[in-house]
Each structure stands twice: as C-alpha cells, then as structure tokens.
C-alpha cells in the first residue's frame, strides 16, 4: 500500500488580515551587491539601535578602515558602530536620519579603496568558544535586531537567570507587503542561517530552534528543511501567510500557543525571537570575523526603475543607493521606509541606510493614493481583526477626547502599531496613525516617570 504523503502543519494566530502581498516585483530577483562610489559621503548616525547613543571614537581628519570601530559606549543596552568603507572622517555633526530624527553622526568620505582593518580575521570555528566569548563577539560586532526593532542582540541572548529559555524562534515570516529581503536571504544563505542558529543554541543549550516561514515562500521552506533534516533540535515551522504573522507576540502564539502577558516580553514565556538576517550577522561575526557593516534592503515601488534586493553598506545615502540601482522611472509621489503597513513616509532621500533599514518603497501617485477619511459606521471590523485583541474604536474615542489615562486603561499600550485596523476599516479611519502618536507620548511619560 502506498504511503500517504505527510500533511504539513500550518501554524497561525488569532485574527489578522490579508493585504495584497505585492512581492512579485522582487521575490525572484537575486540579491545584488552595491558598493558606494569613491568620493561619496558615508554617514553613520551614533544611534542605530534601541538604547543609549554611542560616542565617537574617531576625530575629524582621521583615516579609518573597513571594520574599524568608530562609535561605542559603556551602556548595557547599546551596540558599537563600525566603518563600512575606508576613508577620512570629514565631520562629526548632527544629521537627519531615515527615521526623521536628527542624530549626531560621523561623516566619512569614501576613498573607494575598501581597505579592511586588521581586526577582520576569519575563525576556524565556534566549537571551542564559550558562551561568554560568543556573546562578547556578538556585542563587539555591533549586532542588533535587523527585523526593525534594533534591540542589541547580546542583551537578548543574556536573559536573567530566572527566565528559562526553551524556544528560539527564527523569524522568516516577512509578512509586510512588498518586502522580500528575508525571503531572498533564506534562499541564498540557508546554510549560514542554520549555522547561526546552532551558535545561538550553544549559548542557550536548553532551548530548541524553530525557523518560522510563511507558506508563501516554498523555495525558502524547501532549502531550510534540507539543511535542518539531520539536526534534531532545529526544525522548520510553516506558518500561515497572514498579517502581522511576523510580529513577536503573534508568532510566539502561532508556534507555541503561549501568550506574552500585557507589558511582558518573549522571555516571560520562555522564548527568544530573532530575525533571519540577524542570524546571518551572527554567522558573519563568529565564523568570518566581520562586524555588522551591511544591510540587505528591498528597493521597490512603481516609481523605481530596477526593483530588487540590494546589499548596501551601512551609512550609504539612500539617494546614492537609488542612483546605483538605476534611478527613477518617474518622480515618486511618496517614499516610505519599511513596509506600507508599519513604515514611515520620509521627505528627504539624503539620509543614510542604517542597521534597521529593511526596505524603501517609492510609490507613484496611484500607489500612494489614500481615500478620504469618513465617519465610523460601527461595523466592528477593526475589533474583529485586531491581532492584539484591542478595541480600536474605543481607543480612537479616547484620543479624540485627548484622554491619555483612558487610553492606557483600555490597554492602548499593548497596540503593536501593525495598521490592521486602518487597513480593514471601510470608512478609512486613520486609527493606527492616531494610536501610534498617543501611544508614544504615553510610553515617553512612563519612561521619564512623569505623572499620567
């Protein structure tokens, strides 16, 4: 009797939405490496991560090499910065960043020689490295969460003794429309992802490793299953293509069935979640001795001439990257950093690519069009679809009344700013945008200890 084909189990979370993916423009295009031209300015904001800003370790007029540490500080929640080119420090001054903030930055004039610092040396392996040595290397390499949050990875891999970690989830979902960098990385560097995960499991030996991939990425699933086949403590979990499947709390729910408590962290339920590109960065640091100096960025949208995924040096100006990628087909009506759901529109492309830049969308007038906002029709769709189980209409009412205390009382701080409510709303209410603004105000109050 023929054996029945084993059915693949597909995991998912409660609620969520199904936006048009729009990934066809770049998902089959191999990653292309772009080097900034000689004479170009490479700008390194001293804050590319969550936590304390760095202090410059170089001076104006100093020559630096690739991989040389140029910024660092003593704070625990921070991560150093390394030069991604060789050249001369032209200035150290405040500069506009891709997030819209102005940050003290090191400006290096690229000499086009791409000479590497002597500290970049491959290692023979990681088997003889202790847990402490691995974490130190990750810290010194400046590795942070490359999925967008930018939390220092050495801190994430050092949970308090009372937090017992039994599950490491590698996030390969990439649920945002248009973005395809993680998909291409999983296809092109599957072996390095598995090795990087094995390194993490050496740091946290009581844990199992799970690589979570949405079912719209069959080639990536096939590649990684092949490399994991003989490794008992690592497996691939196929999750449903649904937004926001890649958010930490939703992914943990889908894979383990555990619920991260309000105000809690993944470590509170025994989990650590890390992006696939972060794992590649760990591999590069531990095996190849290379700090974090590059980022794979999806450049797409109807206004761009050559949509694709480009491996760019951190610090490269977005305007230079666009030019190297072929320039515009037409003047973009809107430029969005990140995906269309959680991304932020910017007004200036003379800003540098940083560690957390995952994609930049160049929209035509048609793509950028948003219908006018109308009155709420009380349909309840936003409530049905909110992945955090909130009541967006209630939160919006608090915002309209400028009642921050009520917003917090109604669990507004648990919003993950995914934009599902705005997307599904037939009246096109700007729910997510309004919630995002007041949520950050209330979080700032908590951080500074101000009275609510």
């Amino acid at each position: 009797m023929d054996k029945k084909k084993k059915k693949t189990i597909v995991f998912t979370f409660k609620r969520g939405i199904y936006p048009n993916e729009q990934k066809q423009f770049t998902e089959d295009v191999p990653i292309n490496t772009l080097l900034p031209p000689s004479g170009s300015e490479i700008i390194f904001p001293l804050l590319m991560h969550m936590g304390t800003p760095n202090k410059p370790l170089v001076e104006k007029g100093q020559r630096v090499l690739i991989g040389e540490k140029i910024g660092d500080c003593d704070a625990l929640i921070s991560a150093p910065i390394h030069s991604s080119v060789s050249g001369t420090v032209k200035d150290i001054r405040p500069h506009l960043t891709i997030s819209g903030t102005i940050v003290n930055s090191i400006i290096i004039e690229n000499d086009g020689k791409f000479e590497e610092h002597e500290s970049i040396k491959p290692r023979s392996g990681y088997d003889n490295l202790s847990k402490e040595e691995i974490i130190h290397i990750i810290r010194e390499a400046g590795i942070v969460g490359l999925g967008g949050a930018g939390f220092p990875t050495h801190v994430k891999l050092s949970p308090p003794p009372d937090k017992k970690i039994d599950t490491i989830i590698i996030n390969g979902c990439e649920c945002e429309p248009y973005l395809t960098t993680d998909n291409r990385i999983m296809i092109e560097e599957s072996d390095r992802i598995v090795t990087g995960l094995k390194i993490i499991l050496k740091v946290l030996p009581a844990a199992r490793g799970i690589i979570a991939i949405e079912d719209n990425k069959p080639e990536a699933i096939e590649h990684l299953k092949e490399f994991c086949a003989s490794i008992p403590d690592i497996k691939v979990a196929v999750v449903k293509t649904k937004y926001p499947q890649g958010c930490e709390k939703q992914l943990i729910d889908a894979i383990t069935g555990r619920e991260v408590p309000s105000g809690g962290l993944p470590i509170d339920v025994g989990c650590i979640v890390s992006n696939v590109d972060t794992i590649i960065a760990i591999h590069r640091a531990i095996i190849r001795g290379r700090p974090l100096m590059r980022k794979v960025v999806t450049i797409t949208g109807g206004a761009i001439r050559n949509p694709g995924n480009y491996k760019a040096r951190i610090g490269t100006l977005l305007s230079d990257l666009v030019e190297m990628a072929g320039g515009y087909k037409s003047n973009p009506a809107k430029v969005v950093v990140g995906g269309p759901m959680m991304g932020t529109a910017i007004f200036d492309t003379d800003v540098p690519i940083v560690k957390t830049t995952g994609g930049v969308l160049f929209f035509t007038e048609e793509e950028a069009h948003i219908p006018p906002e109308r009155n709420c029709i009380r349909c309840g769709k936003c409530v049905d679809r909110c992945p955090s189980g909130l009541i967006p209409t209630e939160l919006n009412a608090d915002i309209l009344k400028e009642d921050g205390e009520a917003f917090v009382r109604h669990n507004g701080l648990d919003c993950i700013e995914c934009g599902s409510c705005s997307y599904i709303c037939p009246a096109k209410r700007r729910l997510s945008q309004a919630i995002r603004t007041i949520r950050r105000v209330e979080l700032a109050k908590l951080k500074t200890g101000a009275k609510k």
Side-chain angles (χ1 to χ4, degrees), residues 47 49-53 77 413 439-452:
L47 183 61
H49 53 267
M50 188 182 295
T52 305
I77 303 180
L413 297 183
R439 180 174 178 272
R440 295 184 182 186
V441 170
E442 294 303 320
L443 284 171
K445 288 180 182 179
L446 290 175
K447 186 176 181 180
T448 57
K451 290 183 178 180
K452 295 180 181 179

Side-chain angles (χ1 to χ4, degrees), residues 281-292:
I282 290 174
H283 177 278
R284 289 168 66 87
I286 301 296
I287 305 299
R288 302 177 62 194
R290 303 186 71 83
L292 179 56

Side-chain angles (χ1 to χ4, degrees), residues 32-33 54 58 71 93 125 127 135-136 163 171 191 228 242 273 283 291 314 349 362-363 411 418 423 427 433:
N32 186 14
T33 300
N54 285 310
V58 293
R93 58 177 169 80
D127 289 337
I135 290 176
H136 177 73
K163 303 294 183 182
N171 188 350
D191 55 335
C228 294
K242 183 169 67 170
V273 181
H283 177 278
I314 289 172
T349 57
F362 296 86
F363 286 151
N411 301 312
C418 67
Y423 179 88
Q433 294 88 331

Side-chain angles (χ1 to χ4, degrees), residues 176-179 243 336-344 358-361 363:
E176 272 271 12
Y178 285 93
L179 304 187
Y243 182 85
V336 176
V337 176
M341 300 298 296
M342 297 182 73
T344 304
V360 187
L361 314 179
F363 286 151

Side-chain angles (χ1 to χ4, degrees), residues 6-58:
K6 187 177 180 180
K7 185 178 180 181
T8 300
I9 299 174
V10 180
F11 301 89
T12 193
F13 63 98
K14 303 178 186 71
R15 298 177 289 275
I17 60 172
Y18 301 89
N20 192 337
E21 294 177 16
Q22 298 290 343
K23 296 179 184 283
Q24 68 273 17
F25 309 109
T26 59
E27 62 184 349
D28 296 323
V29 182
I31 297 170
N32 186 14
T33 300
L34 297 178
L35 294 177
S38 178
S40 59
E41 286 188 348
I42 310 298
I43 300 173
F44 300 90
L46 288 165
L47 183 61
M48 298 189 196
H49 53 267
M50 188 182 295
T52 305
N54 285 310
K55 297 177 181 178
L57 301 179
V58 293

Side-chain angles (χ1 to χ4, degrees), residues 53-305:
N54 285 310
K55 297 177 181 178
L57 301 179
V58 293
E59 299 177 347
K60 186 176 178 179
Q62 180 178 337
R63 186 166 189 268
V64 297
L65 303 176
I66 290 175
E68 186 171 346
K69 190 192 292 188
I70 58 175
D72 202 355
C73 77
D74 295 331
L76 172 64
I77 303 180
S78 189
I81 297 167
H82 304 77
S83 180
S84 60
V85 296
S86 58
T88 303
V89 178
K90 191 174 179 180
D91 204 355
I92 302 175
R93 58 177 169 80
H95 196 282
L96 182 68
T97 68
I98 207 160
S99 65
T101 58
I102 295 176
V103 175
N104 199 33
S105 304
I106 298 170
I107 301 170
I108 296 176
E109 184 175 342
N110 175 27
D111 62 15
K113 296 179 181 179
F114 297 99
E115 295 181 62
E116 295 191 347
H117 192 262
E118 61 182 10
S119 61
I120 297 181
K121 295 177 182 178
R123 294 183 177 82
S124 57
Y126 62 91
D127 289 337
N128 296 325
L129 294 175
S130 68
K131 167 186 173 179
E132 291 73 22
E133 286 172 327
I134 291 172
I135 290 176
H136 177 73
I137 292 168
I138 289 171
R139 194 269 171 199
E140 287 301 300
I143 299 172
V144 301
L146 300 182
F151 190 80
T153 302
H154 69 281
V155 180
K156 182 178 281 191
L157 297 181
S158 306
D162 62 319
K163 303 294 183 182
K164 304 302 180 184
I165 306 301
D166 59 29
T167 306
I168 307 296
I169 301 175
I170 304 307
N171 188 350
C173 294
E174 199 166 42
C175 56
E176 272 271 12
Y178 285 93
L179 304 187
T180 59
T181 58
D182 290 348
N183 183 42
R184 291 309 313 175
I185 289 168
M186 289 187 288
I187 292 171
E188 298 180 31
E189 300 190 71
S190 300
D191 55 335
R192 293 178 178 177
I193 291 172
V194 174
T195 301
L197 179 50
K198 289 168 70 175
I199 291 170
I200 291 179
L201 294 178
K202 184 174 173 63
V203 173
L204 297 163
R208 57 174 177 159
I210 299 175
I211 305 172
I213 312 174
E214 283 189 316
D215 58 7
N216 64 346
K217 302 173 180 64
E219 190 174 357
I221 292 169
E222 182 182 346
H223 278 241
L224 280 159
K225 278 188 172 181
E226 180 182 342
F227 281 105
C228 294
S230 60
I231 307 173
D233 53 356
I234 297 178
K235 71 173 185 177
V236 173
V238 179
V239 293
K240 189 174 183 179
T241 301
K242 183 169 67 170
Y243 182 85
Q245 185 72 81
C247 287
E248 281 189 339
K249 291 183 178 181
Q250 283 63 42
L251 190 55
I252 290 170
D253 178 23
I255 298 296
T256 68
R258 303 171 191 171
E259 183 177 344
V260 178
S262 176
L265 297 170
I267 59 172
D268 294 325
V269 292
C271 297
I272 287 176
V273 181
S274 196
N275 175 264
V276 291
D277 200 20
T278 307
I279 305 307
I280 293 292
I282 290 174
H283 177 278
R284 289 168 66 87
I286 301 296
I287 305 299
R288 302 177 62 194
R290 303 186 71 83
L292 179 56
M293 301 179 292
R294 68 96 182 102
K295 189 71 175 74
V296 183
V297 183
T298 298
I299 301 292
T300 188
I304 205 76
R305 190 175 302 280

